[in-house]
Amino acid sequence: MSNAPLIRIFKASKRFTKGKETITIFENLNLSIPQGDFVAIMGPSGSGKTTLLNLCGGIDRPTSGEVHVAGARIDSLPEGALSKWRAANVGFIFQFYNLMPMLTAAKNVELPLLLTKLGGAERRKRVETALKLVNLADRLNHLPREMSGGQMQRVAIARAMVSDPTLLLCDEPTGDLDRTTADEILKTLQLLNRELGKTIVMVTHDPEAAKYARRTLHLDKGVFTERDVAAA
Amino acid sequence: MSLASQIVTVTAINLRSIPQRMWVSLSTVVAVALVVAVLLSFLAMANGFQQTLRGSGAPDVAILLRGGAGAEINSGVSRDQLRLIEEAPGVVRTAEGKPLVSGELYVIVDAVKKASGTQANIALRGLGPEGFAIRDGFRLVEGRMYEPGAAEIIVGRSLLDEFAGFELGKQVRLGTATWTVVGVFEMGGTVFESELWADVGAVQSLFRRTNFFQSIRARMENPEAVSALNDYSQADTRLKLAVKSEQAYFADQAGGAGGFIQNLGWPLAVIMSIGALAGALNTMYSSVAARTTEIATLRAIGFGGIPAFVGTLTESLLLSVVGGTVGALLAYAFFDGLTASTFGGSFTQVVFSFQLTPELVVQGVVLALVVGLIGGLFPAIRAARVPLVAAFGEK
Ligand SMILES: Nc1ncnc2c1ncn2[C@@H]1O[C@H](COP(=O)(O)OP(=O)(O)OP(=O)(O)O)[C@@H](O)[C@H]1O
Ligand SMILES: [Mg+2]
């Protein structure tokens, strides 16, 4: 794990305006996550965990402040450049998998590769490698509805990994799964972090899940507190 | 990857998800199909009617009516005027020197429609001896010709098909007399096939209109001679008859009633289109709503907003084109070739058949495309603007 920060959030504030009301989610928030880290983010519902993840992934912008990720200041990138940046640097893993229901596992995993210049054969090879990585080499042609929740989430992990991004952002990746299946998914994430050096930021409500991370950050009322999960 | 291939990918995903929204999608298809079917049925009707009337007139046959009469039914011509026209310049003569001029009487009689059993007006035409020489395409297909002066009629094929009681050999009561059907004629599906024909002398005496005609038809040497005859007629105070070519006469009548049908078809179709448009908008907005997570996920992965726009618009256009095609097929199956009769220009029934042409089908499909385009445009804009954070939204 190198010490250069992959994510650096500097004095970021996020406010939502609904009519006359303004809700401040956080103000002047600072965060630094080094390359190769595996961070769990916990906190009460509504504390802004998803919002933070969106900022890190270039899906949302802060009201003020700076967001630097993987060498780019993404809060000020124009929309088109931001799309390209996301395709090259970030893989997303969602609580409800977000697979395209009418596409097979292989076609779902291939989606990010369609944004590259790779040819069909090369794409096919990478899709197979990614699915092998999550132990689904035998499910290439299965549709999401023919798979279990755990299998669908593994397809989603393969999709997030296939274009080899440095950063994986996971929002409640095990929120919809039972304990045993959740543990399998978390072990897979751990493997990606330890063996392949992926930087992972994972939002979770589950303290058991957080134990798989290298460290846990608690977000509450717009402030981070770091606690040693093992000691908690 | 180029924008084009992004568009292809996203559009394919979009279209393949249509079965998940089958019922709402089907409702749009049905609505558009109905609009197009209704429009095409009206256009086919107007077209068939106009084709029948236009096909009826020859350019070198002059039809003479009392000035200002407009149609045969309102006109009146005397025997003296008929004689003057027989002597007029430009009129074709037979080898024996007889001018090809026919004084004709046009009487409205009642008949019963086979299809509905209702009464309708049809025309009984009394023709002069040269009346047949003036009509191209006339063929007696059954029975024989009427005898001069006898209460005998021959019936047009279209009329025989549409109206009851005119079969060969039947006795028919027309006015106060009883007439016998002695023959059946065809004339290329023209208006004349919707008429009963008899000897003008018989019609004059049995309808008590001795020495009275309503129109004169004359075969002229060429189309130019028709307008020369008009000048000739206007210059003679004993005549003052309005002269038109038969072709121009029927074209005027076709424009009237055919235009009326057409003018009914488009407004009706446009009003129905507004309903179909509301349906299409509803369908497409619900499509975008159903695909919000999908679209946002693709955007998060790195796809652009334009493919989402194009995909949505394509879905809408596809549904409406399918609807338009179904509508055209319905119109073709139910209306093309369908025979109907309606009022012609002279308050009598003209039998014609609906004619659907490729040009009309194109008009129907264009209307469908317009509905699909407008119905898809605003939802497509919404699709392109789906917030990316929706990818992390609730299931
Ligand atoms: N687009 C938005 N408009 C207005 N308010 C928003 C919007 N997105 C989020 N919020 C508000 O911001 C706050 C933080 O939302 P966020 O989704 O980041 O919370 P969270 O920590 O992920 O919660 P949970 O654990 O329930 O997922 C919430 O109060 C939410 O209602
Ligand atoms: Mg959340």
Side-chain angles (χ1 to χ4, degrees), chain A residues 6-199:
Chain A
L6 182 75
I7 299 176
R8 193 166 67 85
I9 294 179
F10 181 64
K11 282 195 162 179
S13 303
K14 185 66 181 175
R15 281 181 283 274
F16 289 109
T17 348
K18 261 188 203 146
K20 286 179 208 149
E21 251 182 284
T22 301
I23 324 165
T24 303
I25 312 301
F26 40 74
E27 201 149 2
N28 293 329
L29 190 82
N30 295 310
L31 174 67
S32 177
I33 295 175
Q35 179 103 43
D37 204 351
F38 183 175
V39 184
I41 295 177
M42 297 189 71
S45 191
S47 56
K49 305 182 295 293
T50 298
T51 306
L52 182 73
L53 212 59
N54 286 340
L55 294 186
C56 295
I59 274 188
D60 202 358
R61 297 172 197 269
T63 314
S64 64
E66 298 174 14
V67 181
H68 299 261
V69 183
R73 182 169 168 190
I74 61 170
D75 60 277
S76 55
L77 277 184
E79 206 51 56
L82 196 56
S83 274
K84 288 205 177 81
W85 176 86
R86 278 197 305 270
N89 295 285
V90 200
F92 293 95
I93 296 163
F94 309 90
Q95 180 176 355
F96 299 108
Y97 332 124
N98 293 17
L99 301 176
M100 303 297 132
M102 73 296 297
L103 298 184
T104 60
K107 287 285 173 195
N108 265 289
V109 173
E110 193 186 10
L111 284 172
L113 295 182
L114 295 175
L115 297 168
T116 66
K117 290 190 170 71
L118 296 175
E122 179 62 22
R123 292 204 302 266
R124 186 88 201 155
K125 218 173 81 191
R126 293 203 186 187
V127 167
E128 280 169 18
T129 309
L131 279 168
K132 217 172 276 168
L133 191 71
V134 293
N135 285 324
L136 281 178
D138 54 341
R139 299 282 166 153
L140 251 62
N141 297 317
H142 285 229
L143 291 170
R145 64 164 179 273
E146 298 162 345
M147 290 187 273
S148 69
Q151 287 170 330
M152 284 195 272
Q153 193 59 300
R154 282 192 274 154
V155 174
I157 293 173
R159 181 179 64 187
M161 286 292 301
V162 75
S163 54
D164 199 25
T166 37
L167 178 62
L168 289 184
L169 298 174
C170 322
D171 197 355
E172 309 267 8
T174 57
D176 207 35
L177 301 173
D178 61 60
R179 184 76 264 151
T180 323
T181 317
D183 284 336
E184 277 171 32
I185 294 295
L186 290 159
K187 272 182 202 140
T188 307
L189 290 178
Q190 205 168 46
L191 184 96
L192 296 178
N193 173 248
R194 293 202 176 146
E195 306 289 324
L196 300 176
K198 300 296 170 196
T199 307

Side-chain angles (χ1 to χ4, degrees), chain B residues 19-377:
Chain B
Q20 294 170 354
R21 301 179 295 279
M22 187 167 79
W23 293 111
V24 70
S25 304
L26 214 55
S27 71
T28 293
V29 170
V30 169
V32 173
L34 285 179
V35 170
V36 170
V38 166
L39 174 70
L40 289 184
S41 67
F42 273 94
L43 294 184
M45 185 168 162
N47 181 47
F49 182 78
Q50 288 177 335
Q51 291 303 321
T52 300
L53 286 194
R54 291 221 177 93
S56 297
D60 58 350
V61 170
I63 170 162
L64 296 88
L65 304 175
R66 185 174 61 208
E72 280 181 284
I73 189 75
N74 308 317
S75 173
V77 180
S78 69
R79 182 167 294 280
D80 296 335
Q81 288 175 316
L82 178 61
R83 290 221 182 86
L84 285 167
I85 293 301
E86 283 173 349
E87 303 304 320
V91 173
V92 175
R93 286 170 183 276
T94 62
E96 299 85 53
K98 287 195 74 178
L100 290 185
V101 172
S102 165
E104 301 190 352
L105 200 54
Y106 185 90
V107 186
I108 291 174
V109 295
D110 280 343
V112 176
K113 277 196 187 186
K114 277 183 187 170
S116 57
T118 53
Q119 293 259 334
N121 291 337
I122 58 170
L124 166 63
R125 182 183 295 277
L127 291 87
E130 306 306 329
F132 299 97
I134 294 169
R135 286 178 171 82
D136 296 325
F138 171 85
R139 282 195 311 140
L140 191 70
V141 290
E142 277 178 58
R144 59 170 174 85
M145 191 56 68
Y146 50 75
E147 294 292 336
E152 294 177 345
I153 50 173
I154 58 174
V155 297
R157 165 68 67 196
S158 303
L159 189 145
L160 183 63
D161 291 342
E162 285 293 298
F163 292 88
F166 293 97
E167 290 75 18
L168 194 61
K170 282 267 169 77
Q171 308 267 316
V172 219
R173 191 143 189 95
L174 302 174
T176 54
T178 301
W179 299 68
T180 308
V181 179
V182 298
V184 177
F185 71 92
E186 287 181 2
M187 215 176 134
T190 58
V191 217
F192 297 116
E193 269 194 34
S194 303
E195 297 179 348
L196 300 173
W197 283 2
D199 175 53
V200 70
V203 179
Q204 280 174 332
S205 67
L206 289 171
F207 281 84
R208 296 180 219 303
R209 301 201 183 159
T210 318
N211 290 334
F212 177 83
F213 303 88
Q214 271 161 314
S215 63
I216 300 171
R217 271 182 171 70
R219 181 168 294 283
M220 306 304 292
E221 281 159 3
N222 50 48
E224 292 72 46
V226 176
S227 50
L229 183 65
N230 189 43
D231 297 340
Y232 177 83
S233 163
Q234 296 307 324
D236 189 333
T237 48
R238 293 167 298 171
L239 283 170
K240 289 278 183 195
L241 296 174
V243 184
K244 264 185 195 171
S245 74
E246 202 180 45
Q247 194 176 51
Y249 175 75
F250 284 121
D252 285 354
Q253 301 207 337
F260 173 71
I261 300 168
Q262 209 158 15
N263 290 341
L264 208 63
W266 268 108
L268 193 66
V270 167
I271 290 167
M272 287 182 66
S273 299
I274 292 169
L277 184 61
L281 277 170
N282 176 51
T283 298
M284 294 318 299
Y285 274 128
S286 65
S287 161
V288 174
R291 291 183 293 116
T292 295
T293 307
E294 219 167 275
I295 294 168
T297 302
L298 288 168
R299 296 294 313 278
I301 288 173
F303 284 82
I306 293 172
F309 175 88
V310 176
T312 306
L313 199 58
T314 307
E315 175 179 343
S316 177
L317 289 173
L318 180 76
L319 293 180
S320 62
V321 164
V322 170
T325 308
V326 169
L329 288 175
L330 283 178
Y332 184 77
F334 288 103
F335 297 114
D336 190 47
L338 179 79
T339 310
S341 63
T342 187
F343 282 127
S346 303
F347 307 105
T348 55
Q349 296 282 312
V350 170
V351 179
F352 63 95
S353 48
F354 286 53
Q355 281 180 34
L356 202 55
T357 63
E359 291 76 27
L360 297 182
V361 170
V362 166
Q363 290 187 38
V365 173
V366 165
L367 179 68
L369 279 172
V370 169
V371 169
L373 192 69
I374 301 174
L377 188 64

